Amino acid sequence: MEPTVVCVGETMAVLLPERPGPLEDVPSFRHSCGGAESNVARGLAALGVPAAWAGRVGADGFGRRVLRELAAGGVDVRAATIDPDRPTGLYVKETGPSGSVLHYYRDGSAGSAIGPELLDDPTLAAAPLVHLSGITAALSDSALALTRALLARPRDRVVSFDLNWRPALWRRRDPSVLRPLLDAADIVLLGADEAAAVLGTAEPDALRALLPGPSVLVLKEAHRATAVTRDGTVTEPAPRVDVVEPIGAGDAFAAGYLAGTLRGHTPQRRLRLGHLAAAATLVVPGDHGPPPPPHMVDALLSASPDAWAGTTVRASGIVMEDS
Ligand code: KDG
């Protein structure tokens, strides 16, 4: 089946610590893979949306692992290319009492060498929806050129863009390129803290004035998300979640929101599906958690506001209080 969504970006090998604490004290690490855009592709595939990932990996074991893991997660990797000269990037997660830190080992990586030649890929050329993020724009000049070219798209292709502000990647680059990139997309996802850091405001009307181009801005806050469309604004609270580890939750939210959009859900249900997919990732230590089974998703999407407000997501499952 041809993918409905192609997610473009860098996917890296990931080392997840066996237990919290400074890296020098961690006895061992679990090997996984992650990258914001391929996390979205995995989240979409888990929700039943045909999804592909396009990017570059090195001709090494980490690269083979990335392709194997994504394919096992139901992601089409035919548009992925193998770089004979550069290594697959790596990040190491450090977890502690004040949250998680990502340590990147990705300078000069295969993933950072993506560029406009990817536009010739038939999977990408045919995709009705392309998902991008601000991470790719920070990786290299060629990755920024590809991002710009994908946003200068044919009229029938929808582009979603998650700001994904990663200050560590912008130290030697100019982040002012981000606002016009966001404004050229159709669906923009951004966290309130990221919006404040990059655009100087997290206030929906002010963001709309700065970004008049997209059909929808989805603003994520700690306990709610707001869709700002040309027809008005819809806000939906998040369910309660017993958080284990937050990295990857924004990508899962994007996958849920996009899946809801592709299914023609109402704005409220799109936001709920985003919250549910994010919650499933918040309750696991890695970058992606399996979404709830479809019958439960359906029940939660149509739950009353009281029943939705009484929902708690835990690693052991979802609890809906009687309403
Ligand atoms: O959103 C999760 C990502 O931050 C993680 O998978 C690593 O892609 C990554 C990045 O560049 O930070």
Side-chain angles (χ1 to χ4, degrees):
M1 192 187 299
E2 289 310 309
T4 308
V5 185
V6 178
C7 303
V8 180
E10 178 167 24
T11 304
M12 294 163 282
V14 181
L15 297 180
L16 296 170
E18 181 194 289
R19 61 169 194 236
L23 286 187
E24 57 271 38
D25 298 333
V26 172
S28 63
F29 295 85
R30 186 161 67 79
H31 181 183
S32 180
C33 78
E37 304 80 7
S38 61
N39 291 345
V40 175
R42 280 171 90 145
L44 285 164
L47 288 165
V49 177
W53 171 70
R56 286 170 90 80
V57 293
D60 48 33
F62 281 163
R64 288 188 286 280
R65 173 68 179 252
V66 163
L67 297 181
R68 194 171 77 194
E69 238 189 75
L70 292 181
V75 175
D76 181 334
V77 291
R78 283 175 299 167
T81 50
I82 296 176
D83 188 317
D85 303 317
R86 301 175 183 85
T88 305
L90 166 74
Y91 79 84
V92 181
K93 201 180 268 191
E94 181 168 21
T95 55
S98 50
S100 297
V101 181
L102 303 187
H103 300 278
Y104 295 130
Y105 301 85
R106 67 197 297 185
D107 273 359
S109 66
S112 67
I114 49 171
E117 64 286 346
L118 197 62
L119 297 170
D120 297 330
D121 182 89
T123 312
L124 186 62
L129 197 158
V130 169
H131 179 71
L132 305 172
S133 99
I135 293 171
T136 307
L139 296 180
S140 65
D141 291 345
S142 63
L144 175 59
L146 172 64
T147 304
R148 286 189 168 129
L150 286 167
L151 284 160
R153 61 201 171 275
R155 288 209 166 274
D156 55 350
R157 175 187 292 162
V158 173
V159 179
S160 58
F161 195 107
D162 192 328
L163 174 53
N164 274 343
W165 173 237
R166 300 287 182 273
L169 298 178
W170 289 96
R171 283 188 197 123
R172 293 190 297 271
R173 301 188 69 84
D174 174 11
S176 70
V177 299
L178 283 167
R179 198 199 61 78
L181 296 177
L182 291 163
D183 200 36
D186 301 292
I187 300 171
V188 165
L189 298 124
L190 69 185
D193 51 345
E194 303 178 310
V198 176
L199 300 164
T201 179
E203 201 277 310
D205 289 339
L207 284 173
R208 202 23 145 177
L210 286 169
L211 302 173
S215 60
V216 59
L217 306 179
V218 182
L219 182 66
K220 298 170 286 171
E221 293 165 272
H223 301 294
R224 63 183 190 169
T226 299
V228 185
T229 68
R230 298 208 175 87
D231 300 329
T233 293
V234 175
T235 296
E236 190 62 7
R240 279 193 295 273
V241 184
D242 286 353
V243 176
V244 172
E245 207 281 326
I247 305 290
D251 309 327
F253 183 96
Y257 185 85
L258 294 177
T261 302
L262 290 163
R263 291 190 181 132
H265 284 333
T266 61
Q268 184 208 35
R269 285 180 177 220
R270 294 175 196 188
L271 294 172
R272 279 196 186 182
L273 194 48
H275 285 313
L276 287 176
T281 290
L282 287 167
V283 297
V284 297
D287 269 17
H288 3 74
H295 71 274
M296 191 143 221
V297 170
D298 290 345
L300 286 159
L301 293 189
S302 49
S304 68
D306 283 351
W308 175 254
T311 299
T312 305
V313 181
R314 303 197 172 100
S316 53
I318 297 180
V319 183
M320 284 176 84
E321 278 166 25
D322 291 339
S323 53

